[in-house]
Amino acid sequence: MILQEIQREYRYLPCEALKATAEALDVPLSKVFSVATFYNAFSLVPKGKRIVRICTGTACHIRGAALIQDQIENHLGIKAGQTTSDMEFSIEVVACVGACAMAPVVIVNEKYHGGVKVNTAKKILKDS
């Protein structure tokens, strides 16, 4: 919960915050880092204001997730795993978000967009 709150505040886990957490909890820094690096939800590098997650699970893959990913990457000028220089967007590719009935799915922060088409991907980014 503590690391989640830090991540929410800074959009990543700064090293200084991890050190402060270890001191406050009286645990070795290595324990805090092991938790921070174990879960994909945590990041040790700054993320954009809006995180775009593209599901590439089986249902999304079959329904064109790769083309949607290409469209989003080209529009933002970054690849998956990167953040725009203005810190507005980060792109992440996720294996499955468990919303196969809505495939293909793109999630911007916490909002799910189902049945995404290549030609609607830009609008999702613009409206987010």
Side-chain angles (χ1 to χ4, degrees):
M1 190 72 163
I2 294 170
L3 295 181
Q4 291 169 324
E5 289 179 15
I6 294 169
Q7 173 116 347
R8 191 173 302 115
E9 176 73 20
Y10 295 100
R11 296 189 304 224
Y12 79 110
L13 298 174
C15 187
E16 297 307 318
L18 295 178
K19 289 177 184 174
T21 301
E23 287 177 20
L25 297 176
D26 194 27
V27 296
L29 180 59
S30 61
K31 290 278 187 194
V32 177
F33 264 100
S34 68
V35 172
T37 57
F38 180 79
Y39 294 102
N40 287 337
F42 295 128
S43 175
L44 299 178
V45 295
K47 295 288 185 177
K49 184 176 171 185
R50 288 171 272 185
I51 298 175
V52 180
R53 293 182 177 90
I54 303 162
C55 180
T56 58
T58 303
C60 291
H61 173 74
I62 290 170
R63 294 181 179 158
L67 295 174
I68 293 166
Q69 180 180 342
D70 286 346
Q71 179 72 6
I72 290 172
E73 288 177 342
N74 289 335
H75 181 69
L76 295 177
I78 58 172
K79 295 289 185 186
Q82 297 179 331
T83 300
T84 56
S85 59
D86 62 1
M87 301 300 290
E88 282 294 316
F89 290 95
S90 293
I91 300 173
E92 295 180 355
V93 172
V94 294
C96 184
V97 296
C100 301
M102 299 170 55
V105 175
V106 172
I107 305 165
V108 180
N109 289 344
E110 304 301 321
K111 186 172 181 182
Y112 282 61
H113 301 270
V116 177
K117 307 275 187 230
V118 170
N119 61 353
T120 61
K122 286 185 196 176
K123 184 172 181 352
I124 290 170
L125 299 176
K126 183 179 176 185
D127 294 345
S128 64

